[in-house]
Every structure is written in structure tokens, then in C-alpha cells.
């Protein structure tokens, strides 16, 4: 699902809706996290194994819906084109991108780019990943995928696995922690929803650079107040310090939700070619899994040994991330997937991505040229 679902979303979307639709897919995470937080809160008072069995059982509902509905989904038009089923690919574009009009300008533009860019595009060697690295263009694309795979998991959001320790360290009891977890899921979803709403016009470079810097500052606020709380005598704890630390953590998650949550699924599939998208997303999944492993198994050790100072590791790392995004991030907003081939094939993809694209029409309204 991590590899195939965002790939499918980005390939079926009309170009003008690609950001919102694919970004909204990733926000479906909150469709699970909010009910999960509410269910665990409700089950927290159960004094039996059902306190953890019931949340686990309820998680089977969503996969059951997917299993029932997936067989009715149409194939991606890019896959159809690559598989030599051109009539079906064009029929998809006419129906879903052109509202039934075969002469719609969007359909004409996409079809012209399909015929130019997708030639014998079916991947026939499942074991060969060399296309991800064998050209400068491919290496740039793979670098962007790895950036999002690593930075999207290791910008401090992994601290969410340890909210019991983070909230408990500033004076909250178990029931309050469950309530804060539910509230944090709602506020994070609002931040992510705002990011989705502007995903088709929001420059990727700016939001990743400034969003990551904001994450660093908010984590620093949380770390500083957590340190102040830890150094206060037990009989002189100031609740406002603990509340401030929690507020900074809430604001961090809202900011991360706005900046990263829509782009975690969207940006990797945008930057990959049709012929390498599946394998590129497999590589992305490996990067996500590796960093998640570090978060899950190194995080508890770090929190036990260095406590609140663990937060400052992410502050420093987020500053490094912001610098890397600034110098290396390739802008994708406002381009069709096929247009991005010219961007990544340029000598300097970062500079090329900042230049406006051009679309030329003939007198009869058909597309004559689309170039970056």
C-alpha cells in the first residue's frame, strides 16, 4: 500500500488536482489515527485484555473496505499506455480529465505528452533497479525520493511514538495523556488539511525549507521548557511550564502536518518517471522503514539516557534538512509529470525548476508545444 497507493493516486489525477488529491490520500492517516486515539481512550478503563484487543480488532475495518472496493477501480492511464492499450488510456483521459470532451485542452496536452514520454514503458525486468541511478536525471530523482523518505520520518515526528514519556515528563497522568493524544490528532489533521487545500499552488521548495525551519524552532521551544521543568524542585513545579512544553509540541505537529504530511506521498511520486515509479516507491518504502526502525528502537534508549536532550538532536538535524532542501530541492508545482523529464534532464535541475513553464496552442485550440 505504501508504494502502490500514492503511485496510483498521482497517475489518475488531472494535473490541476494532483496535489490536492494525492496529498489528501496521505491525510487519510488521520482517518485512522483519530478513531484509534478515541478507541484507545475509551478502552483505557477496561481492566482486561480487551483494553488492547479491541483497538486491534477495529483496525481490520479499513482493510476490509479496501479489499471489497479495489477490484472496481480503473487502471491508471499511464500504465495502460505503457502496456500498449492506447485506446483505453485515451478513453480514461476523456472521461475523467476532460469531462467527456475528447478535445478538452487538458486531454490534448496530456495525450501529446503521453505519446512522447511513455514509449514501451512497461517494466519487464522486476529485479533491475539500475534505472534509478544510471543517468544524472535518474540520480536527481532518486535523491529527492530518499530525501523525503528520510526527512519525512526523522524531522521530530517520530517523537510521537513516545507521547506517554513526553507528556508524562511534564506532569500529566495516564488519562490526561490519552486525552492529549486525541486532541493532538485533531489539531495535526487540521494542519495537514490546510496543507492539502493549497497543495496545487504551494511551492514545494518554500514549504519544505520554511516548514522544516519552523519545526526546528518549535521543537527547540519544547526542549527548553522540558529542561526547565526537569530542573524545577518537585515541590515547586510550575504547571505553566509543562503546559508550554505541550503547546510547543502541538504546534510542531500542526506545522509538520501542513509542511510534510501532504508531500510525503505526493513529492516522491511526482519526481519519479512512469517507468521507474513503482521501483522508486519501493526504494522510498525501504528508506521509510529503515528510519522508522531507528525511531522505534533507538528512540526509547535515547529518551531513557538523555531524556529531553533527545529533542535537541532533531532541532539540529532539522536545520541541516532545511539547508539541504534549500540547495537541492527540485520544484514540481505547476508541472505535468511528463514535463518534469525536461527539468530533471537539465544541467541544473534546481535552477530549471524555478523557471516558468510554457504551453503553446494552435489556432484551432490544440496543443502545439509544452515545455519547461
Amino acid at each position: 500500500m505504501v508504494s502502490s497507493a500514492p503511485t496510483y493516486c498521482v497517475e489518475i489525477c488531472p494535473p490541476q488536482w494532483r496535489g490536492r488529491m494525492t496529498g489528501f490520500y496521505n491525510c487519510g492517516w488521520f482517518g485512522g489515527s483519530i478513531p484509534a486515539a478515541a478507541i484507545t481512550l475509551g478502552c483505557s478503563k477496561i481492566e482486561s485484555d480487551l483494553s488492547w484487543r479491541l483497538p486491534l480488532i477495529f483496525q481490520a475495518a479499513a482493510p476490509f473496505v479496501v479489499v471489497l472496493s479495489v477490484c472496481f477501480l480503473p487502471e491508471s492511464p499511464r500504465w495502460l499506455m505503457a502496456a500498449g492499450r492506447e485506446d483505453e488510456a485515451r478513453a480514461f483521459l476523456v472521461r475523467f480529465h476532460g469531462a467527456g470532451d475528447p478535445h478538452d485542452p487538458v486531454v490534448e496536452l496530456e495525450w501529446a505528452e503521453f505519446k512522447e514520454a511513455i514509449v514501451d514503458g512497461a517494466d519487464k525486468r522486476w529485479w533491475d533497479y539500475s534505472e534509478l541511478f544510471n543517468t544524472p536525471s535518474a540520480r536527481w530523482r532518486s535523491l529527492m525520493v530518499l530525501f523525503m523518505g528520510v526527512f519525512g520520518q526523522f524531522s521530530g515526528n517520530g517523537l510521537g511514538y513516545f507521547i506517554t514519556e513526553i507528556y508524562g515528563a511534564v506532569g500529566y497522568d495516564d488519562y490526561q495523556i490519552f486525552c492529549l493524544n486525541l486532541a493532538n490528532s485533531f489539531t495535526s489533521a487540521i494542519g495537514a488539511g490546510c496543507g492539502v487545500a493549497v497543495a496545487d499552488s504551494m511551492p514545494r521548495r518554500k514549504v519544505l525549507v520554511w516548514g522544516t525551519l519552523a519545526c526546528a524552532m518549535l521543537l527547540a521551544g519544547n526542549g527548553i521548557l522540558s529542561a526547565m521543568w526537569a530542573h524545577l524542585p518537585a515541590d515547586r513545579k510550575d504547571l505553566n511550564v509543562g503546559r508550554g512544553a505541550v503547546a510547543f509540541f502541538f504546534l510542531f505537529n500542526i506545522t509538520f502536518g501542513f509542511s510534510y504530511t501532504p508531500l510525503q506521498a505526493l513529492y516522491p511520486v511526482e519526481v519519479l518517471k512512469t517507468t521507474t515509479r513503482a521501483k522508486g516507491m519501493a526504494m522510498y518504502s525501504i528508506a521509510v522503514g529503515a528510519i522508522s526502525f531507528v525511531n522505534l528502537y533507538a528512540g526509547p534508549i535515547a529518551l531513557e539516557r538523555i531524556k529531553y536532550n533527545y529533542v535537541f538532536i532533531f532541532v539540529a538535524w532539522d536545520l541541516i534538512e532545511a539547508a539541504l532542501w534549500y540547495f537541492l530541492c527540485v520544484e514540481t508545482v505547476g508541472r505535468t509529470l511528463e514535463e518534469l523529464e525536461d527539468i530533471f534532464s537539465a544541467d541544473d535541475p534546481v535552477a530549471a525548476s524555478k523557471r516558468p513553464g510554457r504551453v503553446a496552442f494552435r489556432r484551432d485550440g490544440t496543443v502545439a508545444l509544452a515545455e519547461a
Side-chain angles (χ1 to χ4, degrees):
M1 289 292 289
V2 174
S3 300
S4 59
T7 298
Y8 179 76
C9 288
V10 81
E11 290 192 357
I12 66 170
C13 293
Q16 68 272 26
W17 295 351
R18 184 180 74 220
R20 282 167 289 177
M21 292 181 72
T22 309
F24 183 72
Y25 151 78
N26 207 45
C27 290
W29 186 87
F30 295 105
S33 71
I34 292 174
I39 291 168
T40 52
L41 175 61
C43 293
S44 64
K45 299 294 185 179
I46 299 176
E47 296 182 359
S48 71
D49 286 350
L50 288 176
S51 63
W52 63 267
R53 290 184 187 276
L54 284 176
L56 191 64
I57 291 169
F58 280 118
Q59 290 188 62
F64 183 71
V65 173
V66 173
V67 169
L68 290 180
S69 60
V70 70
C71 294
F72 300 97
L73 299 176
E75 290 287 0
S76 156
R78 289 173 172 84
W79 181 87
L80 291 170
M81 188 73 176
R85 296 158 64 177
E86 295 187 12
D87 291 342
E88 294 176 68
R90 185 168 177 84
F92 181 101
L93 295 179
V94 170
R95 180 182 178 186
F96 294 106
H97 294 192
D101 180 6
H103 303 295
D104 184 88
V106 173
V107 172
E108 294 288 350
L109 172 59
E110 288 189 287
W111 189 245
E113 292 179 334
F114 274 27
K115 290 193 291 186
E116 179 182 353
I118 306 176
V119 180
D120 191 27
D123 189 350
K124 299 179 177 62
R125 296 187 296 181
W126 61 267
W127 46 267
D128 185 4
Y129 280 70
S130 62
E131 274 196 285
L132 294 174
F133 306 101
N134 60 5
T135 66
S137 171
R139 288 190 287 272
W140 266 104
R141 292 174 186 270
S142 295
L143 180 65
M144 296 301 100
V145 170
L146 291 173
F147 271 14
M148 185 56 72
V150 174
F151 299 171
Q153 302 298 317
F154 206 63
S155 295
N157 51 314
L159 293 168
Y161 294 120
F162 313 110
I163 55 169
T164 53
E165 289 83 0
I166 291 172
Y167 296 153
V170 288
Y172 290 89
D173 62 31
D174 289 345
Y175 185 76
Q176 290 173 320
I177 289 171
F178 278 116
C179 293
L180 287 171
N181 182 40
L182 179 58
N184 182 58
S185 295
F186 273 109
T187 56
S188 298
I190 292 171
C194 292
V196 168
V198 295
D200 284 302
S201 57
M202 179 173 62
R204 314 292 189 241
R205 285 176 49 82
K206 288 183 179 179
V207 74
L208 288 170
V209 172
W210 291 107
T212 307
L213 283 174
C215 285
M217 298 303 103
L218 293 169
L219 283 177
N222 171 267
I224 290 169
L225 290 177
S226 296
M228 291 174 60
W229 175 274
H231 287 91
L232 289 172
D235 59 344
R236 293 175 56 192
K237 295 291 188 184
D238 185 350
L239 291 179
N240 288 327
V241 174
R243 291 168 183 158
V246 170
F248 271 112
F249 194 66
F250 267 61
L251 290 171
F252 161 78
N253 282 295
I254 293 171
T255 303
F256 183 89
F258 179 87
S259 305
Y260 274 91
T261 299
L263 297 183
Q264 283 175 308
L266 174 61
Y267 191 67
V269 290
E270 279 186 327
V271 301
L272 289 163
K273 291 175 61 175
T274 298
T275 53
T276 59
R277 192 165 288 127
K279 289 178 178 176
M281 288 306 293
M283 178 178 67
Y284 172 77
S285 299
I286 292 171
V288 168
I291 298 303
S292 297
F293 180 87
V294 174
N295 278 327
L296 284 169
Y297 293 99
I301 298 171
L303 285 169
E304 181 183 1
R305 294 185 178 180
I306 60 176
K307 302 187 184 305
Y308 57 82
N309 290 307
Y310 185 45
V311 173
F312 293 108
I313 293 176
F314 290 106
V315 173
W317 178 243
D318 282 357
L319 295 176
I320 295 172
E321 286 182 4
L324 291 172
W325 281 129
Y326 179 80
F327 288 109
L328 298 174
C329 182
V330 176
E331 184 60 72
T332 59
V333 72
R335 313 278 186 179
T336 66
L337 298 179
E338 285 69 34
E339 274 185 275
L340 290 171
E341 175 58 30
D342 292 332
I343 299 295
F344 282 100
S345 297
D347 292 335
D348 185 351
V350 176
S353 71
K354 298 177 186 178
R355 293 194 290 267
R358 295 185 297 168
V359 178
F361 293 90
R362 298 185 180 92
R363 291 182 181 275
D364 62 0
T366 58
V367 177
L369 175 68
E371 65 176 37

